Short mmCIF file of all heavy atoms in Angstrom, two decimals:
data_model
loop_
_atom_site.label_atom_id
_atom_site.label_comp_id
_atom_site.label_asym_id
_atom_site.label_seq_id
_atom_site.Cartn_x
_atom_site.Cartn_y
_atom_site.Cartn_z
N MET U 21 74.93 56.67 76.80
CA MET U 21 74.85 55.47 76.00
C MET U 21 75.80 54.42 76.57
O MET U 21 76.94 54.71 76.87
CB MET U 21 75.20 55.79 74.55
CG MET U 21 75.08 54.62 73.63
SD MET U 21 75.27 55.18 71.93
CE MET U 21 74.59 53.80 71.13
N SER U 22 75.34 53.20 76.71
CA SER U 22 76.16 52.15 77.30
C SER U 22 76.89 51.36 76.22
O SER U 22 76.46 51.30 75.06
CB SER U 22 75.31 51.22 78.16
OG SER U 22 74.37 50.55 77.35
N PHE U 23 77.99 50.75 76.60
CA PHE U 23 78.79 49.92 75.70
C PHE U 23 78.03 48.65 75.35
O PHE U 23 77.49 47.99 76.23
CB PHE U 23 80.12 49.57 76.38
CG PHE U 23 80.95 48.62 75.60
CD1 PHE U 23 81.57 49.02 74.43
CD2 PHE U 23 81.12 47.31 76.02
CE1 PHE U 23 82.35 48.14 73.69
CE2 PHE U 23 81.89 46.42 75.29
CZ PHE U 23 82.51 46.85 74.12
N GLN U 24 77.98 48.31 74.08
CA GLN U 24 77.32 47.08 73.63
C GLN U 24 78.24 46.40 72.61
O GLN U 24 78.32 46.82 71.46
CB GLN U 24 75.97 47.40 73.00
CG GLN U 24 75.24 46.14 72.56
CD GLN U 24 73.90 46.45 71.93
OE1 GLN U 24 73.35 47.53 72.09
NE2 GLN U 24 73.37 45.50 71.19
N PRO U 25 78.96 45.36 73.04
CA PRO U 25 79.93 44.74 72.14
C PRO U 25 79.32 43.97 70.97
O PRO U 25 79.97 43.79 69.95
CB PRO U 25 80.72 43.81 73.05
CG PRO U 25 79.79 43.50 74.17
CD PRO U 25 78.93 44.73 74.34
N TYR U 26 78.10 43.53 71.09
CA TYR U 26 77.43 42.76 70.04
C TYR U 26 76.06 43.36 69.76
O TYR U 26 75.47 44.00 70.61
CB TYR U 26 77.30 41.29 70.45
CG TYR U 26 78.64 40.68 70.79
CD1 TYR U 26 78.93 40.28 72.08
CD2 TYR U 26 79.60 40.51 69.81
CE1 TYR U 26 80.17 39.73 72.39
CE2 TYR U 26 80.84 39.97 70.11
CZ TYR U 26 81.12 39.58 71.40
OH TYR U 26 82.34 39.04 71.69
N PRO U 27 75.50 43.09 68.58
CA PRO U 27 74.21 43.70 68.21
C PRO U 27 72.99 42.95 68.75
O PRO U 27 71.92 43.03 68.18
CB PRO U 27 74.25 43.65 66.67
CG PRO U 27 75.04 42.43 66.37
CD PRO U 27 76.10 42.38 67.46
N PHE U 28 73.16 42.19 69.82
CA PHE U 28 72.05 41.44 70.40
C PHE U 28 72.17 41.43 71.91
O PHE U 28 73.22 41.75 72.45
CB PHE U 28 72.00 40.00 69.87
CG PHE U 28 73.24 39.22 70.18
CD1 PHE U 28 73.37 38.55 71.39
CD2 PHE U 28 74.29 39.16 69.29
CE1 PHE U 28 74.52 37.84 71.70
CE2 PHE U 28 75.45 38.45 69.57
CZ PHE U 28 75.56 37.80 70.79
N HIS U 29 71.08 41.06 72.56
CA HIS U 29 71.04 40.90 74.02
C HIS U 29 70.37 39.56 74.31
O HIS U 29 69.54 39.09 73.53
CB HIS U 29 70.21 42.01 74.68
CG HIS U 29 70.76 43.37 74.49
ND1 HIS U 29 71.82 43.86 75.20
CD2 HIS U 29 70.41 44.35 73.64
CE1 HIS U 29 72.08 45.08 74.82
NE2 HIS U 29 71.24 45.41 73.86
N TRP U 30 70.70 39.00 75.44
CA TRP U 30 70.03 37.76 75.88
C TRP U 30 68.79 38.12 76.68
O TRP U 30 68.78 39.09 77.44
CB TRP U 30 70.99 36.90 76.72
CG TRP U 30 72.09 36.36 75.87
CD1 TRP U 30 73.36 36.83 75.78
CD2 TRP U 30 71.99 35.28 74.94
NE1 TRP U 30 74.07 36.11 74.86
CE2 TRP U 30 73.25 35.15 74.32
CE3 TRP U 30 70.97 34.41 74.56
CZ2 TRP U 30 73.51 34.18 73.37
CZ3 TRP U 30 71.23 33.45 73.60
CH2 TRP U 30 72.49 33.33 73.02
N VAL U 31 67.75 37.31 76.50
CA VAL U 31 66.48 37.56 77.18
C VAL U 31 65.79 36.21 77.47
O VAL U 31 65.57 35.43 76.56
CB VAL U 31 65.55 38.47 76.35
CG1 VAL U 31 65.34 37.95 74.95
CG2 VAL U 31 64.23 38.72 77.05
N PRO U 32 65.49 35.92 78.73
CA PRO U 32 64.73 34.72 79.03
C PRO U 32 63.28 34.89 78.57
O PRO U 32 62.67 35.94 78.80
CB PRO U 32 64.79 34.59 80.55
CG PRO U 32 65.83 35.54 81.01
CD PRO U 32 65.92 36.60 79.97
N ALA U 33 62.76 33.85 77.93
CA ALA U 33 61.37 33.88 77.46
C ALA U 33 60.95 32.46 77.09
O ALA U 33 61.76 31.70 76.56
CB ALA U 33 61.23 34.79 76.25
N ALA U 34 59.72 32.11 77.41
CA ALA U 34 59.15 30.81 77.02
C ALA U 34 60.02 29.63 77.44
O ALA U 34 60.18 28.67 76.69
CB ALA U 34 58.88 30.79 75.51
N GLY U 35 60.61 29.71 78.61
CA GLY U 35 61.35 28.57 79.17
C GLY U 35 62.77 28.39 78.67
O GLY U 35 63.41 27.39 78.99
N GLN U 36 63.29 29.36 77.90
CA GLN U 36 64.68 29.30 77.43
C GLN U 36 65.26 30.71 77.42
O GLN U 36 64.53 31.69 77.45
CB GLN U 36 64.76 28.74 76.00
CG GLN U 36 64.38 27.29 75.88
CD GLN U 36 64.58 26.79 74.45
OE1 GLN U 36 64.12 27.41 73.51
NE2 GLN U 36 65.28 25.67 74.32
N ARG U 37 66.60 30.78 77.35
CA ARG U 37 67.26 32.06 77.17
C ARG U 37 67.43 32.27 75.67
O ARG U 37 68.04 31.46 74.98
CB ARG U 37 68.61 32.10 77.88
CG ARG U 37 68.44 32.18 79.39
CD ARG U 37 69.76 32.22 80.13
NE ARG U 37 70.47 30.95 79.94
CZ ARG U 37 71.71 30.84 79.47
NH1 ARG U 37 72.40 31.90 79.15
NH2 ARG U 37 72.27 29.66 79.33
N HIS U 38 66.86 33.34 75.16
CA HIS U 38 66.90 33.66 73.74
C HIS U 38 67.76 34.90 73.52
O HIS U 38 68.09 35.61 74.47
CB HIS U 38 65.48 33.96 73.23
CG HIS U 38 64.59 32.77 73.24
ND1 HIS U 38 64.48 31.90 72.18
CD2 HIS U 38 63.77 32.29 74.21
CE1 HIS U 38 63.62 30.94 72.48
NE2 HIS U 38 63.18 31.15 73.72
N ALA U 39 68.09 35.17 72.26
CA ALA U 39 68.81 36.39 71.89
C ALA U 39 67.88 37.25 71.04
O ALA U 39 67.08 36.73 70.26
CB ALA U 39 70.08 36.05 71.13
N SER U 40 68.02 38.56 71.20
CA SER U 40 67.18 39.50 70.47
C SER U 40 68.00 40.72 70.06
O SER U 40 68.90 41.13 70.79
CB SER U 40 66.01 39.95 71.35
OG SER U 40 65.22 40.92 70.66
N THR U 41 67.67 41.28 68.91
CA THR U 41 68.29 42.54 68.48
C THR U 41 67.38 43.73 68.77
O THR U 41 67.71 44.86 68.43
CB THR U 41 68.64 42.50 66.98
OG1 THR U 41 67.46 42.22 66.24
CG2 THR U 41 69.71 41.46 66.68
N ASP U 42 66.23 43.48 69.39
CA ASP U 42 65.33 44.57 69.78
C ASP U 42 66.04 45.49 70.78
O ASP U 42 66.85 45.02 71.58
CB ASP U 42 64.06 44.03 70.44
CG ASP U 42 63.11 43.36 69.47
OD1 ASP U 42 63.42 43.30 68.26
OD2 ASP U 42 62.06 42.87 69.92
N ALA U 43 65.71 46.77 70.72
CA ALA U 43 66.27 47.72 71.68
C ALA U 43 65.95 47.26 73.10
O ALA U 43 64.81 46.89 73.39
CB ALA U 43 65.70 49.11 71.44
N ARG U 44 66.95 47.25 73.95
CA ARG U 44 66.76 46.80 75.33
C ARG U 44 66.67 48.01 76.25
O ARG U 44 67.58 48.84 76.29
CB ARG U 44 67.92 45.91 75.76
CG ARG U 44 67.71 45.29 77.15
CD ARG U 44 68.86 44.45 77.55
NE ARG U 44 69.99 45.32 77.85
CZ ARG U 44 71.13 44.91 78.38
NH1 ARG U 44 71.32 43.65 78.65
NH2 ARG U 44 72.09 45.77 78.63
N PRO U 45 65.58 48.09 77.02
CA PRO U 45 65.47 49.19 77.98
C PRO U 45 66.53 49.09 79.07
O PRO U 45 67.04 47.99 79.34
CB PRO U 45 64.08 48.99 78.59
CG PRO U 45 63.36 48.05 77.69
CD PRO U 45 64.41 47.22 77.02
N PRO U 46 66.89 50.20 79.70
CA PRO U 46 67.82 50.13 80.84
C PRO U 46 67.30 49.14 81.88
O PRO U 46 66.11 49.14 82.19
CB PRO U 46 67.82 51.56 81.39
CG PRO U 46 67.39 52.42 80.23
CD PRO U 46 66.43 51.57 79.44
N GLY U 47 68.16 48.28 82.36
CA GLY U 47 67.76 47.29 83.35
C GLY U 47 67.29 45.98 82.72
O GLY U 47 66.97 45.04 83.42
N GLY U 48 67.23 45.93 81.41
CA GLY U 48 66.84 44.69 80.73
C GLY U 48 65.40 44.72 80.27
O GLY U 48 64.65 45.65 80.57
N TYR U 49 65.05 43.72 79.51
CA TYR U 49 63.68 43.59 79.01
C TYR U 49 62.77 43.28 80.19
O TYR U 49 62.97 42.28 80.88
CB TYR U 49 63.57 42.47 77.98
CG TYR U 49 64.45 42.65 76.77
CD1 TYR U 49 65.63 41.94 76.64
CD2 TYR U 49 64.09 43.51 75.75
CE1 TYR U 49 66.44 42.08 75.53
CE2 TYR U 49 64.89 43.67 74.63
CZ TYR U 49 66.07 42.94 74.52
OH TYR U 49 66.87 43.09 73.41
N PRO U 50 61.75 44.09 80.46
CA PRO U 50 60.87 43.81 81.59
C PRO U 50 59.98 42.59 81.32
O PRO U 50 59.65 42.30 80.16
CB PRO U 50 60.04 45.08 81.73
CG PRO U 50 60.08 45.72 80.40
CD PRO U 50 61.38 45.33 79.76
N THR U 51 59.61 41.91 82.36
CA THR U 51 58.71 40.76 82.24
C THR U 51 57.44 41.19 81.51
O THR U 51 56.85 42.22 81.83
CB THR U 51 58.38 40.19 83.63
OG1 THR U 51 59.59 39.67 84.20
CG2 THR U 51 57.35 39.08 83.55
N GLY U 52 57.09 40.41 80.50
CA GLY U 52 55.88 40.67 79.73
C GLY U 52 56.12 41.46 78.45
O GLY U 52 55.24 41.53 77.60
N MET U 53 57.31 42.06 78.30
CA MET U 53 57.60 42.80 77.08
C MET U 53 57.82 41.83 75.92
O MET U 53 58.60 40.90 76.03
CB MET U 53 58.86 43.67 77.25
CG MET U 53 59.23 44.46 76.03
SD MET U 53 60.72 45.45 76.35
CE MET U 53 60.86 46.27 74.78
N GLU U 54 57.12 42.06 74.82
CA GLU U 54 57.28 41.18 73.66
C GLU U 54 58.57 41.54 72.92
O GLU U 54 58.84 42.71 72.66
CB GLU U 54 56.09 41.32 72.71
CG GLU U 54 56.15 40.33 71.56
CD GLU U 54 54.95 40.44 70.65
OE1 GLU U 54 54.92 41.38 69.83
OE2 GLU U 54 54.06 39.60 70.78
N VAL U 55 59.37 40.52 72.63
CA VAL U 55 60.62 40.72 71.90
C VAL U 55 60.67 39.76 70.72
O VAL U 55 60.14 38.65 70.77
CB VAL U 55 61.85 40.50 72.80
CG1 VAL U 55 61.94 41.54 73.89
CG2 VAL U 55 61.88 39.12 73.40
N ALA U 56 61.32 40.20 69.66
CA ALA U 56 61.59 39.33 68.51
C ALA U 56 62.93 38.65 68.78
O ALA U 56 63.91 39.30 69.14
CB ALA U 56 61.67 40.16 67.24
N THR U 57 62.97 37.34 68.64
CA THR U 57 64.17 36.59 68.94
C THR U 57 64.90 36.18 67.67
O THR U 57 64.32 36.15 66.57
CB THR U 57 63.83 35.33 69.76
OG1 THR U 57 62.99 34.49 68.98
CG2 THR U 57 63.14 35.72 71.07
N LEU U 58 66.16 35.82 67.80
CA LEU U 58 66.95 35.41 66.65
C LEU U 58 66.49 34.06 66.08
O LEU U 58 66.84 33.73 64.95
CB LEU U 58 68.44 35.34 67.01
CG LEU U 58 69.09 36.66 67.41
CD1 LEU U 58 70.59 36.46 67.64
CD2 LEU U 58 68.84 37.75 66.38
N CYS U 59 65.67 33.32 66.83
CA CYS U 59 65.13 32.06 66.31
C CYS U 59 63.83 32.29 65.56
O CYS U 59 63.18 31.35 65.11
CB CYS U 59 64.95 31.04 67.43
SG CYS U 59 63.76 31.51 68.71
N GLY U 60 63.42 33.55 65.40
CA GLY U 60 62.26 33.88 64.60
C GLY U 60 60.94 33.94 65.33
O GLY U 60 59.89 34.03 64.70
N CYS U 61 60.97 33.91 66.65
CA CYS U 61 59.73 33.97 67.44
C CYS U 61 59.53 35.37 68.00
O CYS U 61 60.45 36.16 68.10
CB CYS U 61 59.81 32.98 68.60
SG CYS U 61 59.92 31.27 68.09
N ARG U 62 58.31 35.65 68.39
CA ARG U 62 57.97 36.85 69.16
C ARG U 62 57.48 36.32 70.51
O ARG U 62 56.46 35.63 70.56
CB ARG U 62 56.90 37.68 68.47
CG ARG U 62 57.42 38.25 67.14
CD ARG U 62 56.62 39.43 66.64
NE ARG U 62 56.64 40.58 67.53
CZ ARG U 62 57.63 41.48 67.64
NH1 ARG U 62 58.71 41.34 66.93
NH2 ARG U 62 57.53 42.50 68.46
N LEU U 63 58.24 36.61 71.56
CA LEU U 63 57.97 36.03 72.87
C LEU U 63 57.92 37.10 73.94
O LEU U 63 58.52 38.17 73.79
CB LEU U 63 59.08 35.02 73.22
CG LEU U 63 59.29 33.87 72.24
CD1 LEU U 63 60.56 33.11 72.59
CD2 LEU U 63 58.08 32.95 72.22
N ASP U 64 57.23 36.80 75.04
CA ASP U 64 57.18 37.70 76.19
C ASP U 64 58.38 37.42 77.10
O ASP U 64 58.60 36.28 77.51
CB ASP U 64 55.89 37.50 76.98
CG ASP U 64 54.67 37.99 76.23
OD1 ASP U 64 54.82 38.82 75.30
OD2 ASP U 64 53.56 37.55 76.56
N ALA U 65 59.14 38.46 77.39
CA ALA U 65 60.31 38.34 78.26
C ALA U 65 59.89 37.91 79.67
O ALA U 65 58.79 38.21 80.13
CB ALA U 65 61.04 39.67 78.33
N ASP U 66 60.79 37.20 80.33
CA ASP U 66 60.61 36.82 81.73
C ASP U 66 61.87 37.24 82.47
O ASP U 66 62.88 36.55 82.42
CB ASP U 66 60.39 35.31 81.86
CG ASP U 66 60.16 34.87 83.29
OD1 ASP U 66 60.48 35.63 84.22
OD2 ASP U 66 59.69 33.74 83.47
N ASN U 67 61.84 38.39 83.10
CA ASN U 67 63.02 38.93 83.75
C ASN U 67 63.13 38.48 85.21
O ASN U 67 63.71 39.17 86.03
CB ASN U 67 63.02 40.46 83.66
CG ASN U 67 64.41 41.05 83.87
OD1 ASN U 67 65.39 40.34 83.88
ND2 ASN U 67 64.47 42.35 84.06
N SER U 68 62.61 37.31 85.51
CA SER U 68 62.73 36.79 86.88
C SER U 68 64.14 36.23 87.10
O SER U 68 64.85 35.87 86.15
CB SER U 68 61.68 35.70 87.13
OG SER U 68 61.93 34.56 86.31
N GLU U 69 64.54 36.15 88.34
CA GLU U 69 65.88 35.67 88.68
C GLU U 69 66.11 34.24 88.20
O GLU U 69 67.15 33.92 87.64
CB GLU U 69 66.09 35.77 90.19
CG GLU U 69 67.50 35.48 90.63
CD GLU U 69 67.70 35.73 92.10
OE1 GLU U 69 67.17 36.74 92.62
OE2 GLU U 69 68.41 34.93 92.73
N LEU U 70 65.15 33.37 88.40
CA LEU U 70 65.32 31.96 88.01
C LEU U 70 65.35 31.75 86.51
O LEU U 70 65.99 30.81 86.02
CB LEU U 70 64.22 31.10 88.64
CG LEU U 70 64.29 30.94 90.14
CD1 LEU U 70 63.12 30.10 90.66
CD2 LEU U 70 65.61 30.32 90.57
N ALA U 71 64.72 32.63 85.75
CA ALA U 71 64.68 32.48 84.30
C ALA U 71 66.08 32.52 83.69
O ALA U 71 66.33 31.91 82.65
CB ALA U 71 63.80 33.55 83.68
N TRP U 72 67.01 33.21 84.33
CA TRP U 72 68.37 33.28 83.79
C TRP U 72 69.11 31.95 83.91
O TRP U 72 70.17 31.77 83.30
CB TRP U 72 69.15 34.41 84.47
CG TRP U 72 68.68 35.73 83.97
CD1 TRP U 72 67.82 36.59 84.61
CD2 TRP U 72 68.95 36.31 82.71
NE1 TRP U 72 67.57 37.68 83.81
CE2 TRP U 72 68.25 37.53 82.63
CE3 TRP U 72 69.72 35.92 81.61
CZ2 TRP U 72 68.30 38.36 81.52
CZ3 TRP U 72 69.77 36.76 80.50
CH2 TRP U 72 69.07 37.94 80.46
N PHE U 73 68.55 30.99 84.63
CA PHE U 73 69.16 29.66 84.75
C PHE U 73 68.63 28.69 83.69
O PHE U 73 69.09 27.56 83.60
CB PHE U 73 68.91 29.07 86.15
CG PHE U 73 69.69 29.77 87.22
CD1 PHE U 73 69.07 30.71 88.03
CD2 PHE U 73 71.03 29.51 87.42
CE1 PHE U 73 69.78 31.36 89.03
CE2 PHE U 73 71.75 30.15 88.40
CZ PHE U 73 71.12 31.09 89.20
N TRP U 74 67.66 29.12 82.90
CA TRP U 74 67.10 28.25 81.86
C TRP U 74 68.16 27.94 80.81
O TRP U 74 69.13 28.68 80.64
CB TRP U 74 65.91 28.93 81.19
CG TRP U 74 64.70 29.11 82.04
CD1 TRP U 74 64.41 28.47 83.21
CD2 TRP U 74 63.61 30.00 81.80
NE1 TRP U 74 63.21 28.91 83.71
CE2 TRP U 74 62.69 29.85 82.85
CE3 TRP U 74 63.32 30.90 80.80
CZ2 TRP U 74 61.51 30.55 82.92
CZ3 TRP U 74 62.14 31.62 80.85
CH2 TRP U 74 61.24 31.44 81.91
N ASN U 75 67.95 26.86 80.08
CA ASN U 75 68.83 26.50 78.98
C ASN U 75 68.74 27.54 77.87
O ASN U 75 67.72 28.22 77.72
CB ASN U 75 68.48 25.13 78.41
CG ASN U 75 68.84 24.02 79.36
OD1 ASN U 75 69.82 24.10 80.09
ND2 ASN U 75 68.05 22.96 79.36
N THR U 76 69.78 27.63 77.09
CA THR U 76 69.83 28.56 75.96
C THR U 76 69.17 27.93 74.73
O THR U 76 69.42 26.77 74.42
CB THR U 76 71.29 28.93 75.64
OG1 THR U 76 71.87 29.51 76.80
CG2 THR U 76 71.39 29.89 74.48
N CYS U 77 68.36 28.71 74.04
CA CYS U 77 67.76 28.27 72.78
C CYS U 77 68.89 27.96 71.80
O CYS U 77 69.72 28.84 71.53
CB CYS U 77 66.85 29.38 72.24
SG CYS U 77 66.31 29.14 70.54
N PRO U 78 68.96 26.75 71.27
CA PRO U 78 70.08 26.41 70.38
C PRO U 78 70.09 27.21 69.08
O PRO U 78 71.16 27.53 68.55
CB PRO U 78 69.91 24.91 70.12
CG PRO U 78 68.52 24.58 70.51
CD PRO U 78 68.09 25.60 71.51
N VAL U 79 68.93 27.56 68.56
CA VAL U 79 68.88 28.35 67.32
C VAL U 79 69.38 29.77 67.58
O VAL U 79 70.18 30.31 66.81
CB VAL U 79 67.45 28.35 66.72
CG1 VAL U 79 67.38 29.21 65.48
CG2 VAL U 79 67.02 26.92 66.40
N CYS U 80 68.94 30.37 68.67
CA CYS U 80 69.43 31.70 69.04
C CYS U 80 70.94 31.66 69.32
O CYS U 80 71.66 32.59 68.95
CB CYS U 80 68.71 32.23 70.28
SG CYS U 80 67.05 32.87 69.96
N ASN U 81 71.40 30.62 69.95
CA ASN U 81 72.82 30.49 70.27
C ASN U 81 73.67 30.48 68.99
O ASN U 81 74.67 31.20 68.90
CB ASN U 81 73.06 29.24 71.10
CG ASN U 81 74.40 29.24 71.78
OD1 ASN U 81 74.92 30.28 72.17
ND2 ASN U 81 74.98 28.07 71.95
N ARG U 82 73.25 29.68 68.01
CA ARG U 82 73.99 29.63 66.73
C ARG U 82 73.96 31.00 66.04
O ARG U 82 74.98 31.47 65.54
CB ARG U 82 73.41 28.56 65.81
CG ARG U 82 73.81 27.15 66.20
CD ARG U 82 73.45 26.14 65.13
NE ARG U 82 72.01 26.01 64.93
CZ ARG U 82 71.20 25.25 65.65
NH1 ARG U 82 71.68 24.54 66.65
NH2 ARG U 82 69.91 25.20 65.39
N ALA U 83 72.78 31.63 66.02
CA ALA U 83 72.65 32.94 65.37
C ALA U 83 73.48 34.00 66.09
O ALA U 83 74.12 34.85 65.45
CB ALA U 83 71.18 33.35 65.31
N ALA U 84 73.49 33.98 67.41
CA ALA U 84 74.26 34.95 68.19
C ALA U 84 75.76 34.78 67.95
O ALA U 84 76.48 35.76 67.78
CB ALA U 84 73.94 34.81 69.68
N HIS U 85 76.22 33.54 67.92
CA HIS U 85 77.63 33.30 67.63
C HIS U 85 78.00 33.81 66.24
O HIS U 85 79.06 34.39 66.04
CB HIS U 85 77.96 31.81 67.78
CG HIS U 85 78.26 31.42 69.18
ND1 HIS U 85 77.29 31.15 70.11
CD2 HIS U 85 79.44 31.24 69.81
CE1 HIS U 85 77.85 30.84 71.25
NE2 HIS U 85 79.16 30.89 71.10
N ALA U 86 77.13 33.58 65.26
CA ALA U 86 77.38 34.05 63.90
C ALA U 86 77.44 35.58 63.86
O ALA U 86 78.35 36.16 63.24
CB ALA U 86 76.31 33.53 62.95
N LEU U 87 76.51 36.27 64.53
CA LEU U 87 76.51 37.73 64.58
C LEU U 87 77.77 38.28 65.25
O LEU U 87 78.31 39.31 64.85
CB LEU U 87 75.29 38.26 65.32
CG LEU U 87 73.98 38.32 64.56
CD1 LEU U 87 72.85 38.73 65.50
CD2 LEU U 87 74.08 39.29 63.40
N ALA U 88 78.23 37.57 66.27
CA ALA U 88 79.40 38.01 67.02
C ALA U 88 80.70 37.63 66.33
O ALA U 88 81.78 38.10 66.72
CB ALA U 88 79.38 37.42 68.44
N GLY U 89 80.62 36.75 65.32
CA GLY U 89 81.83 36.29 64.65
C GLY U 89 82.67 35.40 65.52
O GLY U 89 83.89 35.34 65.39
N VAL U 90 82.02 34.68 66.43
CA VAL U 90 82.70 33.80 67.36
C VAL U 90 82.31 32.35 67.02
O VAL U 90 81.12 32.03 66.96
CB VAL U 90 82.28 34.11 68.81
CG1 VAL U 90 82.91 33.14 69.79
CG2 VAL U 90 82.63 35.54 69.16
N PRO U 91 83.30 31.49 66.79
CA PRO U 91 82.96 30.10 66.45
C PRO U 91 82.20 29.42 67.58
O PRO U 91 82.43 29.70 68.75
CB PRO U 91 84.32 29.42 66.25
CG PRO U 91 85.36 30.48 66.34
CD PRO U 91 84.72 31.72 66.86
N LEU U 92 81.32 28.54 67.19
CA LEU U 92 80.55 27.76 68.15
C LEU U 92 81.28 26.44 68.34
O LEU U 92 81.38 25.64 67.41
CB LEU U 92 79.14 27.54 67.61
CG LEU U 92 78.12 26.94 68.55
CD1 LEU U 92 77.91 27.84 69.76
CD2 LEU U 92 76.80 26.75 67.83
N TYR U 93 81.83 26.24 69.52
CA TYR U 93 82.62 25.04 69.79
C TYR U 93 81.75 23.86 70.14
O TYR U 93 80.68 24.02 70.71
CB TYR U 93 83.61 25.31 70.93
CG TYR U 93 84.63 26.34 70.54
CD1 TYR U 93 84.53 27.65 70.97
CD2 TYR U 93 85.67 26.00 69.69
CE1 TYR U 93 85.44 28.61 70.58
CE2 TYR U 93 86.60 26.96 69.29
CZ TYR U 93 86.49 28.25 69.75
OH TYR U 93 87.39 29.19 69.34
N GLY U 94 82.19 22.69 69.80
CA GLY U 94 81.47 21.46 70.13
C GLY U 94 80.29 21.20 69.23
O GLY U 94 79.54 20.27 69.45
N GLY U 95 80.09 22.00 68.20
CA GLY U 95 79.01 21.76 67.25
C GLY U 95 77.62 22.00 67.78
O GLY U 95 76.65 21.53 67.23
N HIS U 96 77.48 22.75 68.91
CA HIS U 96 76.16 23.01 69.49
C HIS U 96 75.59 24.30 68.98
O HIS U 96 76.22 25.25 68.77
CB HIS U 96 76.21 23.04 71.01
CG HIS U 96 76.71 21.77 71.61
ND1 HIS U 96 76.43 20.54 71.11
CD2 HIS U 96 77.51 21.55 72.66
CE1 HIS U 96 77.02 19.61 71.85
NE2 HIS U 96 77.69 20.22 72.80
#
């Protein structure tokens, strides 16, 4: 079992980086795997190298910070 400091993982999907509490397979969510995101969507993961450079979904970002108990600086 691997260390997981927070109850979510980041996953690129639909042109943004989203957060999900779905179980993550070893190596990450494979491209095409449907995941439920913290912004309330069900999206297909995109595990391509460039997808990790996409902007972060602001709704997922706020929800992830709340789950982690970490303040969101700058009001974003």
Side-chain angles (χ1 to χ4, degrees):
M21 183 172 197
S22 64
F23 174 71
Q24 182 180 342
Y26 303 113
F28 60 86
H29 298 281
W30 291 101
V31 54
Q36 292 184 309
R37 288 180 295 125
H38 293 271
S40 177
T41 57
D42 288 0
R44 186 181 71 172
Y49 300 103
T51 295
M53 179 180 182
E54 185 178 78
V55 295
T57 62
L58 296 184
C59 63
C61 296
R62 295 200 62 80
L63 303 170
D64 290 339
D66 181 343
N67 200 12
S68 66
E69 188 174 320
L70 291 178
W72 286 101
F73 290 101
W74 292 343
N75 289 327
T76 302
C77 168
V79 177
C80 282
N81 196 33
R82 284 191 295 276
H85 276 81
L87 280 174
V90 176
L92 190 61
Y93 295 102
H96 301 324

